[in-house]
Amino acid sequence: MDSAAFHRVTSEGRLPNGLPWTIPIIIAIKKDQANEIHEGEKTALLDWNGRTFATLDVSETYPLPKEELAQGAYGTTDQNHPNVADIFNNYGDTALAGKVALLRRLELPTVAHEMTPKETRELFRKRGWRNVVAYQCRNPPHTAHEYIQKVSLERSEVDGLLVQPVIGRLKKGDYRPTVIMDAYRRVVDGYYPKDRAVLSSLSITMRYGGPKAALFLAIVRKNFGATHYIVGRDQAGVGKYYDPYACHKIFDQFDVGIVPLRYMETFYCRACKAMATAKTCPHGEDEHLAVSQTHMRQLLQEGKELPTEILRPEVIAVLKQGDAVLT
Ligand SMILES: [Zn+2]
């Protein structure tokens, strides 16, 4: 990995390989550290326990252009946006560029069942999968999610499915990683053919960057060996910062080397008695049971019954174990 020299990247608008920059990975340090680290030196990168896990050959230090970073990656400098707040409040003012050398993998929480890109690629090869569709998520599965995963798997050129829930650092109101992984494990074990689906967590901080984050997350999945990538409505959105379909359109603008499979909002239709989208169902909204994470969380917190049309009983059982959401 090369921690990109951000000012150079932004001025040219493209990375050295010709792709547009999406959401850069930044190593930013505070003032007191900045005095001790110089260009041309090697420095240690520490994990949350203060132990070295990698080294960085510092090729450049530069003042982090926080406004430009927030605007470029997230389209806003509004600090009500969780990632923008992070940039302004938690990132240091000095950024480091240079080659990173990994000494050991980070220790992941026990809930993680996480394969490396090398391991997933090897597994796909062993299984004879030439084309793999990846699914990004950060919530327990609804039948709407299951529907678009399976519709993608039905495509004749697709051999397998990689379900990769993001379980990195949380913000308030997020489901806990144990809940997400436990619910997905039960659904994948119970409702997917064993030789067609792989569940593997992804421990990264979620970037709620709408269209740019959708590109970023697609590139990450390409690294894991996926050839196709599912893009639902309002992927990686937060609040009302992004047009819900901007995450679809951006794939027309940029080819990042993975095939986007785009889906409109998915719902259960009482008249069709099936999952559907506006593309496949002619009925009115009064027949539609939409999947709203906010509504689900509310029902859960109020101790009300969860709708079995859009949640598998196994998932409801996991959600009802209590303490599902970070408060
Ligand atoms: Zn219908």
Side-chain angles (χ1 to χ4, degrees), residues 1-5 25-29 33 36-46 52-62 94-103:
M1 181 184 77
D2 199 348
S3 165
I25 294 165
I26 301 284
I27 301 173
I29 54 172
Q33 290 175 309
E36 294 171 15
I37 294 173
H38 306 101
E39 289 175 12
E41 290 177 359
K42 200 187 275 284
T43 187
L45 301 181
L46 310 181
T52 304
F53 73 95
T55 59
L56 174 73
D57 281 322
V58 184
S59 61
E60 195 173 351
T61 66
Y62 59 96
T94 301
L96 306 178
K99 289 267 181 223
V100 174
L102 190 69
L103 302 176

Side-chain angles (χ1 to χ4, degrees), residues 269 271-272 281-283 288:
C269 174
C272 291
C281 159
H283 305 109
H288 296 166

Side-chain angles (χ1 to χ4, degrees), residues 267-274 276-277 280-284 287-288:
F267 46 77
Y268 179 82
C269 174
R270 293 187 188 92
C272 291
K273 292 193 172 51
T277 71
T280 51
C281 159
H283 305 109
E287 299 286 2
H288 296 166

